[in-house]
Short mmCIF file of all heavy atoms in Angstrom, two decimals:
data_model
loop_
_atom_site.label_atom_id
_atom_site.label_comp_id
_atom_site.label_asym_id
_atom_site.label_seq_id
_atom_site.Cartn_x
_atom_site.Cartn_y
_atom_site.Cartn_z
N VAL A 1147 -1.02 -5.54 4.91
CA VAL A 1147 -0.96 -4.48 5.93
C VAL A 1147 0.12 -4.82 6.97
O VAL A 1147 0.89 -3.95 7.37
CB VAL A 1147 -2.34 -4.25 6.58
CG1 VAL A 1147 -2.24 -3.30 7.77
CG2 VAL A 1147 -3.33 -3.70 5.55
N GLN A 1148 0.19 -6.08 7.38
CA GLN A 1148 1.22 -6.50 8.34
C GLN A 1148 2.62 -6.21 7.77
O GLN A 1148 3.48 -5.66 8.45
CB GLN A 1148 1.08 -8.00 8.64
CG GLN A 1148 2.14 -8.56 9.57
CD GLN A 1148 2.04 -8.04 10.99
OE1 GLN A 1148 0.96 -7.93 11.54
NE2 GLN A 1148 3.18 -7.69 11.57
N ASN A 1149 2.83 -6.58 6.49
CA ASN A 1149 4.13 -6.31 5.85
C ASN A 1149 4.41 -4.81 5.79
O ASN A 1149 5.55 -4.37 6.00
CB ASN A 1149 4.17 -6.90 4.44
CG ASN A 1149 4.34 -8.40 4.44
OD1 ASN A 1149 4.56 -9.03 5.47
ND2 ASN A 1149 4.22 -8.99 3.26
N ALA A 1150 3.38 -4.02 5.50
CA ALA A 1150 3.56 -2.56 5.40
C ALA A 1150 3.96 -1.99 6.76
O ALA A 1150 4.85 -1.14 6.84
CB ALA A 1150 2.27 -1.90 4.90
N ILE A 1151 3.33 -2.46 7.82
CA ILE A 1151 3.66 -1.99 9.18
C ILE A 1151 5.12 -2.33 9.49
O ILE A 1151 5.87 -1.49 9.99
CB ILE A 1151 2.71 -2.62 10.22
CG1 ILE A 1151 1.31 -2.02 10.08
CG2 ILE A 1151 3.24 -2.42 11.64
CD1 ILE A 1151 0.23 -2.73 10.88
N GLU A 1152 5.53 -3.57 9.20
CA GLU A 1152 6.90 -3.99 9.47
C GLU A 1152 7.90 -3.20 8.62
O GLU A 1152 8.97 -2.83 9.10
CB GLU A 1152 7.06 -5.49 9.22
CG GLU A 1152 6.33 -6.33 10.25
CD GLU A 1152 6.29 -7.81 9.90
OE1 GLU A 1152 6.95 -8.23 8.93
OE2 GLU A 1152 5.59 -8.55 10.61
N ALA A 1153 7.57 -2.94 7.36
CA ALA A 1153 8.49 -2.25 6.45
C ALA A 1153 8.66 -0.78 6.81
O ALA A 1153 9.76 -0.24 6.74
CB ALA A 1153 8.01 -2.39 5.01
N THR A 1154 7.57 -0.12 7.21
CA THR A 1154 7.64 1.31 7.45
C THR A 1154 8.14 1.65 8.85
O THR A 1154 8.79 2.67 9.06
CB THR A 1154 6.29 1.99 7.15
OG1 THR A 1154 6.49 3.39 7.05
CG2 THR A 1154 5.25 1.71 8.21
N GLY A 1155 7.85 0.78 9.81
CA GLY A 1155 8.34 1.01 11.17
C GLY A 1155 7.69 2.20 11.85
O GLY A 1155 6.70 2.76 11.37
N GLU A 1156 8.27 2.60 13.00
CA GLU A 1156 7.71 3.70 13.78
C GLU A 1156 7.75 5.01 12.99
O GLU A 1156 8.68 5.26 12.24
CB GLU A 1156 8.48 3.86 15.09
CG GLU A 1156 8.30 2.64 15.97
CD GLU A 1156 8.25 2.97 17.44
OE1 GLU A 1156 8.16 4.16 17.81
OE2 GLU A 1156 8.29 2.02 18.22
N ASN A 1157 6.69 5.80 13.17
CA ASN A 1157 6.55 7.11 12.54
C ASN A 1157 6.50 7.05 11.01
O ASN A 1157 6.74 8.04 10.34
CB ASN A 1157 7.68 8.06 12.98
CG ASN A 1157 7.76 8.16 14.49
OD1 ASN A 1157 6.74 8.39 15.14
ND2 ASN A 1157 8.94 7.95 15.03
N GLY A 1158 6.17 5.90 10.47
CA GLY A 1158 6.07 5.75 9.03
C GLY A 1158 4.69 6.13 8.50
O GLY A 1158 3.86 6.68 9.23
N LYS A 1159 4.47 5.82 7.24
CA LYS A 1159 3.20 6.13 6.59
C LYS A 1159 2.71 4.91 5.82
O LYS A 1159 3.51 4.21 5.19
CB LYS A 1159 3.36 7.29 5.61
CG LYS A 1159 3.68 8.59 6.26
CD LYS A 1159 3.75 9.71 5.23
CE LYS A 1159 3.93 11.03 5.93
NZ LYS A 1159 4.99 11.82 5.43
N ILE A 1160 1.39 4.69 5.86
CA ILE A 1160 0.75 3.63 5.07
C ILE A 1160 -0.48 4.24 4.42
O ILE A 1160 -1.24 4.97 5.07
CB ILE A 1160 0.34 2.43 5.95
CG1 ILE A 1160 1.57 1.75 6.55
CG2 ILE A 1160 -0.49 1.43 5.15
CD1 ILE A 1160 1.26 0.66 7.56
N LYS A 1161 -0.66 3.94 3.14
CA LYS A 1161 -1.85 4.42 2.43
C LYS A 1161 -2.43 3.26 1.64
O LYS A 1161 -1.73 2.63 0.84
CB LYS A 1161 -1.49 5.56 1.48
CG LYS A 1161 -2.65 6.09 0.69
CD LYS A 1161 -2.20 7.23 -0.21
CE LYS A 1161 -3.33 7.77 -1.05
NZ LYS A 1161 -2.88 8.87 -1.91
N ILE A 1162 -3.71 3.00 1.86
CA ILE A 1162 -4.42 1.99 1.09
C ILE A 1162 -5.37 2.72 0.14
O ILE A 1162 -6.06 3.67 0.54
CB ILE A 1162 -5.20 1.02 1.99
CG1 ILE A 1162 -4.25 0.27 2.91
CG2 ILE A 1162 -6.02 0.03 1.14
CD1 ILE A 1162 -4.91 -0.70 3.87
N THR A 1163 -5.39 2.29 -1.10
CA THR A 1163 -6.27 2.87 -2.11
C THR A 1163 -7.05 1.74 -2.78
O THR A 1163 -6.46 0.72 -3.11
CB THR A 1163 -5.45 3.61 -3.18
OG1 THR A 1163 -4.54 4.51 -2.55
CG2 THR A 1163 -6.34 4.39 -4.13
N SER A 1164 -8.35 1.95 -2.95
CA SER A 1164 -9.14 0.99 -3.73
C SER A 1164 -9.73 1.73 -4.92
O SER A 1164 -10.16 2.88 -4.80
CB SER A 1164 -10.24 0.34 -2.90
OG SER A 1164 -11.23 1.26 -2.54
N GLU A 1165 -9.70 1.07 -6.07
CA GLU A 1165 -10.16 1.70 -7.31
C GLU A 1165 -11.13 0.81 -8.06
O GLU A 1165 -10.91 -0.40 -8.17
CB GLU A 1165 -8.97 1.98 -8.23
CG GLU A 1165 -7.95 2.94 -7.68
CD GLU A 1165 -6.73 3.00 -8.57
OE1 GLU A 1165 -6.78 3.71 -9.60
OE2 GLU A 1165 -5.74 2.31 -8.25
N ASP A 1166 -12.17 1.42 -8.57
CA ASP A 1166 -13.15 0.74 -9.41
C ASP A 1166 -12.67 0.84 -10.86
O ASP A 1166 -12.53 1.94 -11.39
CB ASP A 1166 -14.51 1.43 -9.26
CG ASP A 1166 -15.63 0.68 -9.93
OD1 ASP A 1166 -15.37 -0.09 -10.87
OD2 ASP A 1166 -16.78 0.89 -9.51
N MET A 1167 -12.37 -0.30 -11.46
CA MET A 1167 -11.85 -0.31 -12.83
C MET A 1167 -12.81 -1.05 -13.77
O MET A 1167 -12.38 -1.87 -14.57
CB MET A 1167 -10.45 -0.91 -12.83
CG MET A 1167 -9.50 -0.15 -11.90
SD MET A 1167 -7.85 -0.80 -11.89
CE MET A 1167 -7.28 -0.26 -13.49
N TYR A 1168 -14.10 -0.77 -13.62
CA TYR A 1168 -15.17 -1.32 -14.46
C TYR A 1168 -15.36 -2.82 -14.27
O TYR A 1168 -16.26 -3.22 -13.55
CB TYR A 1168 -14.99 -0.95 -15.93
CG TYR A 1168 -14.89 0.54 -16.13
CD1 TYR A 1168 -13.69 1.13 -16.46
CD2 TYR A 1168 -16.00 1.37 -15.92
CE1 TYR A 1168 -13.59 2.53 -16.59
CE2 TYR A 1168 -15.92 2.74 -16.05
CZ TYR A 1168 -14.71 3.31 -16.39
OH TYR A 1168 -14.60 4.67 -16.51
N THR A 1169 -14.53 -3.66 -14.86
CA THR A 1169 -14.72 -5.11 -14.73
C THR A 1169 -13.87 -5.71 -13.62
O THR A 1169 -13.99 -6.88 -13.29
CB THR A 1169 -14.39 -5.85 -16.05
OG1 THR A 1169 -13.02 -5.60 -16.38
CG2 THR A 1169 -15.30 -5.38 -17.17
N LYS A 1170 -12.98 -4.89 -13.05
CA LYS A 1170 -12.13 -5.39 -11.97
C LYS A 1170 -11.94 -4.30 -10.93
O LYS A 1170 -12.31 -3.15 -11.13
CB LYS A 1170 -10.78 -5.88 -12.51
CG LYS A 1170 -9.98 -4.82 -13.23
CD LYS A 1170 -8.75 -5.42 -13.90
CE LYS A 1170 -8.06 -4.38 -14.76
NZ LYS A 1170 -6.95 -4.94 -15.52
N VAL A 1171 -11.34 -4.69 -9.81
CA VAL A 1171 -10.99 -3.74 -8.76
C VAL A 1171 -9.49 -3.80 -8.54
O VAL A 1171 -8.86 -4.84 -8.76
CB VAL A 1171 -11.74 -4.02 -7.43
CG1 VAL A 1171 -13.23 -3.83 -7.59
CG2 VAL A 1171 -11.41 -5.40 -6.89
N ARG A 1172 -8.93 -2.68 -8.11
CA ARG A 1172 -7.49 -2.61 -7.81
C ARG A 1172 -7.34 -2.08 -6.39
O ARG A 1172 -7.95 -1.08 -6.02
CB ARG A 1172 -6.78 -1.68 -8.78
CG ARG A 1172 -5.29 -1.49 -8.41
CD ARG A 1172 -4.59 -0.53 -9.33
NE ARG A 1172 -4.37 -1.18 -10.62
CZ ARG A 1172 -3.90 -0.54 -11.69
NH1 ARG A 1172 -3.62 0.74 -11.64
NH2 ARG A 1172 -3.72 -1.19 -12.81
N VAL A 1173 -6.51 -2.78 -5.61
CA VAL A 1173 -6.19 -2.34 -4.26
C VAL A 1173 -4.68 -2.15 -4.18
O VAL A 1173 -3.91 -3.02 -4.58
CB VAL A 1173 -6.65 -3.37 -3.20
CG1 VAL A 1173 -6.21 -2.95 -1.80
CG2 VAL A 1173 -8.17 -3.55 -3.25
N SER A 1174 -4.27 -0.98 -3.68
CA SER A 1174 -2.85 -0.67 -3.50
C SER A 1174 -2.58 -0.45 -2.02
O SER A 1174 -3.33 0.26 -1.35
CB SER A 1174 -2.48 0.62 -4.26
OG SER A 1174 -2.85 0.52 -5.61
N VAL A 1175 -1.51 -1.07 -1.53
CA VAL A 1175 -1.07 -0.86 -0.15
C VAL A 1175 0.34 -0.29 -0.21
O VAL A 1175 1.29 -1.01 -0.50
CB VAL A 1175 -1.12 -2.17 0.67
CG1 VAL A 1175 -0.66 -1.91 2.11
CG2 VAL A 1175 -2.51 -2.79 0.64
N TRP A 1176 0.44 1.04 0.01
CA TRP A 1176 1.73 1.74 -0.06
C TRP A 1176 2.27 1.95 1.34
O TRP A 1176 1.51 2.20 2.28
CB TRP A 1176 1.53 3.09 -0.74
CG TRP A 1176 2.75 3.97 -0.74
CD1 TRP A 1176 3.75 3.99 -1.66
CD2 TRP A 1176 3.11 4.95 0.25
NE1 TRP A 1176 4.71 4.91 -1.31
CE2 TRP A 1176 4.34 5.50 -0.14
CE3 TRP A 1176 2.51 5.39 1.43
CZ2 TRP A 1176 4.97 6.50 0.60
CZ3 TRP A 1176 3.14 6.37 2.17
CH2 TRP A 1176 4.36 6.91 1.75
N ASN A 1177 3.60 1.86 1.48
CA ASN A 1177 4.22 2.20 2.76
C ASN A 1177 5.50 2.99 2.49
O ASN A 1177 6.08 2.91 1.42
CB ASN A 1177 4.48 0.95 3.61
CG ASN A 1177 5.62 0.11 3.07
OD1 ASN A 1177 6.78 0.44 3.22
ND2 ASN A 1177 5.27 -0.99 2.41
N SER A 1178 5.93 3.73 3.51
CA SER A 1178 7.09 4.61 3.36
C SER A 1178 8.41 3.91 3.67
O SER A 1178 9.41 4.57 3.92
CB SER A 1178 6.92 5.85 4.26
OG SER A 1178 6.82 5.45 5.62
N GLY A 1179 8.41 2.59 3.64
CA GLY A 1179 9.63 1.84 3.91
C GLY A 1179 10.63 1.91 2.76
O GLY A 1179 10.38 2.53 1.73
N PRO A 1180 11.79 1.26 2.95
CA PRO A 1180 12.84 1.30 1.93
C PRO A 1180 12.45 0.55 0.66
O PRO A 1180 11.63 -0.38 0.71
CB PRO A 1180 14.03 0.63 2.62
CG PRO A 1180 13.42 -0.25 3.66
CD PRO A 1180 12.15 0.44 4.09
N PRO A 1181 13.01 0.92 -0.49
CA PRO A 1181 12.68 0.24 -1.75
C PRO A 1181 13.12 -1.22 -1.72
O PRO A 1181 14.04 -1.59 -1.00
CB PRO A 1181 13.44 1.03 -2.80
CG PRO A 1181 14.47 1.82 -2.07
CD PRO A 1181 13.98 1.99 -0.66
N ILE A 1182 12.43 -2.02 -2.52
CA ILE A 1182 12.79 -3.43 -2.67
C ILE A 1182 13.78 -3.52 -3.84
O ILE A 1182 13.47 -3.06 -4.93
CB ILE A 1182 11.54 -4.29 -2.96
CG1 ILE A 1182 10.59 -4.22 -1.75
CG2 ILE A 1182 11.92 -5.73 -3.28
CD1 ILE A 1182 9.25 -4.85 -1.99
N PRO A 1183 14.96 -4.10 -3.61
CA PRO A 1183 15.92 -4.23 -4.70
C PRO A 1183 15.31 -4.97 -5.89
O PRO A 1183 14.57 -5.95 -5.71
CB PRO A 1183 17.07 -5.03 -4.08
CG PRO A 1183 16.93 -4.83 -2.60
CD PRO A 1183 15.45 -4.67 -2.36
#
């Protein structure tokens, strides 16, 4: 989350998603910052 805040900056967007995948869980932390080369 700290990295997402730094990457997106002011007026950006962050979305966290958690998913139940039967035997495991998946967490995604998306931000509207620039792509990583």
Side-chain angles (χ1 to χ4, degrees):
V1147 172
Q1148 177 68 42
N1149 285 353
I1151 289 169
E1152 290 171 8
T1154 195
E1156 295 215 10
N1157 305 311
K1159 293 183 174 129
I1160 295 173
K1161 179 179 179 180
I1162 298 179
T1163 309
S1164 68
E1165 297 172 81
D1166 189 335
M1167 302 181 73
Y1168 304 108
T1169 60
K1170 60 187 173 185
V1171 295
R1172 175 182 286 173
V1173 175
S1174 305
V1175 180
W1176 174 88
N1177 72 77
S1178 60
I1182 297 171

